[in-house]
Amino acid sequence: MVITFELRVIEDKYAVIKTPLKTRITGDSSAEFKKWYESKNLTSYDAVIIDAANIAFIDSMGIASFISLYKKVVPDNKEFIVCSLSKELEALFKLLRLDRLFNIQYPGVDEAIKKIKAN
Amino acid sequence: MTNQELSRKFTIEASLDSIDDLAVKVSNEISGFMGSETGFRVGLIITELCTNIVKHGYKREAGKQIDVSIKTGDGNIEITIEDSSFFFNPLTIEDVDLSNVDSLQHGGMGIYIVRRLAKKLNYQRLNGKNILTIIL
């Protein structure tokens, strides 16, 4: 199954990544995600925000693709945020202690951007 | 949790797509009477362990199969996963080092997740099959 990822840029500073449809990021779709974001110039933005509102499920390969993106973005002093996580995904991210790497506490993109602006 | 019992057996093609289809099906069924969090965990365990079999056991060879059975009762869920690949005990895989971000990308995250979600794990090699039982 081919998964579509969307990039929306807000105020020329914030790159928001979202899947327009309910999605499971597992196995081969993780590789698709990695290939997709490598084709984008995401380090040119102040922050990269993954809006997980439509991510129903993610496995360890999917999480590895998020970590790979995090490693690409963070060395350039950019913010990396994963927002709108379901309670199941939030529990999984915390189990893997990913909340130490990523900002995962925001319920939505607006809240995440508001917080970045306040800092 | 309820005491409602369920017993299902599945034989799937050893491919990532088939694993995902099965994980969705089982997860939805378990969610229906044990809650979405439990359904999510069962789906995740099936996905992680079967993906390991496809990648490391069968090495993505076509025409291979995986047997998965699920039983519930007394608030417990027992998942049994069988494959016919070479001797491969996933419980010998070392946990990832969560303090090292690079380590998270080099395998072991899946079995770490399974270990943390399961109450009990047992591996046996029997009649040329790897048989992994997970209780949660």
Side-chain angles (χ1 to χ4, degrees):
Chain A
M1 184 182 167
V2 178
I3 292 176
T4 306
F5 301 97
E6 263 180 14
L7 174 63
R8 179 167 59 109
V9 178
I10 298 175
E11 297 172 16
D12 293 330
K13 290 181 185 172
Y14 312 113
V16 179
I17 297 167
K18 188 174 182 176
T19 56
L21 302 173
K22 277 283 175 201
T23 301
R24 296 171 62 84
I25 302 186
T26 64
D28 292 334
S29 61
S30 309
E32 279 174 38
F33 176 54
K34 201 170 170 189
K35 196 172 165 186
W36 177 85
Y37 70 64
E38 281 174 351
S39 71
K40 312 292 174 193
N41 188 19
L42 294 174
T43 52
S44 63
Y45 302 103
D46 290 356
V48 172
I49 302 167
I50 296 180
D51 181 353
N54 282 332
I55 299 178
F57 184 87
I58 185 165
D59 70 356
S60 59
M61 289 170 77
I63 289 171
S65 68
F66 280 25
I67 292 169
S68 177
L69 178 56
Y70 160 84
K71 285 176 65 180
K72 190 182 168 89
V73 167
V74 164
D76 282 344
N77 289 321
K78 314 291 184 182
E79 289 259 12
F80 185 82
I81 293 168
V82 183
C83 70
S84 320
L85 284 167
S86 67
K87 69 177 194 306
E88 289 86 4
L89 290 182
E90 186 179 339
L92 175 61
F93 277 52
K94 285 183 175 171
L95 178 77
L96 292 165
R97 295 195 223 151
L98 294 174
D99 52 328
R100 291 175 313 161
L101 297 180
F102 314 156
N103 247 316
I104 64 167
Q105 75 267 39
Y106 303 116
V109 173
D110 291 346
E111 290 85 351
I113 291 177
K114 199 173 162 187
K115 187 70 182 174
I116 297 168
K117 286 179 173 174
N119 287 342
Chain B
M1 283 207 184
T2 71
N3 286 327
Q4 187 174 345
E5 290 188 11
L6 172 143
S7 180
R8 297 276 186 274
K9 283 188 178 183
F10 306 92
T11 297
I12 60 166
E13 178 197 349
S15 72
L16 298 183
D17 284 344
S18 299
I19 292 167
D20 201 36
D21 289 345
L22 176 66
V24 171
K25 188 175 178 175
V26 173
S27 181
N28 286 342
E29 193 161 8
I30 296 286
S31 294
F33 67 99
M34 296 180 104
S36 61
E37 200 168 325
T38 306
F40 180 89
R41 288 174 172 216
V42 170
L44 188 57
I45 286 171
I46 290 172
T47 303
E48 297 296 347
L49 293 172
C50 291
T51 299
N52 267 345
I53 292 167
V54 169
K55 285 168 64 185
H56 305 297
Y58 289 137
K59 300 187 185 303
R60 293 192 182 239
E61 195 180 334
K64 300 295 181 184
Q65 292 183 327
I66 302 172
D67 296 315
V68 178
S69 63
I70 319 279
K71 281 193 289 186
T72 68
D74 297 326
N76 286 324
I77 303 171
E78 182 180 303
I79 306 167
T80 305
I81 301 176
E82 298 182 28
D83 69 87
S84 304
S85 73
F86 65 91
F87 173 85
F88 174 66
N89 180 358
L91 303 183
T92 60
I93 298 174
E94 280 187 28
D95 272 344
V96 283
D97 175 4
L98 295 184
S99 65
N100 179 353
V101 66
D102 293 324
S103 149
L104 291 170
Q105 291 180 288
H106 297 130
M109 201 195 311
I111 195 68
Y112 175 90
I113 292 169
V114 173
R115 281 191 179 114
R116 294 303 171 276
L117 297 182
K119 284 181 196 162
K120 195 174 169 186
L121 291 159
N122 179 62
Y123 169 85
Q124 56 180 325
R125 179 82 180 174
L126 197 62
N127 299 326
K129 287 192 166 191
N130 299 300
I131 304 171
L132 189 64
T133 308
I134 307 100
I135 310 277
L136 73 160

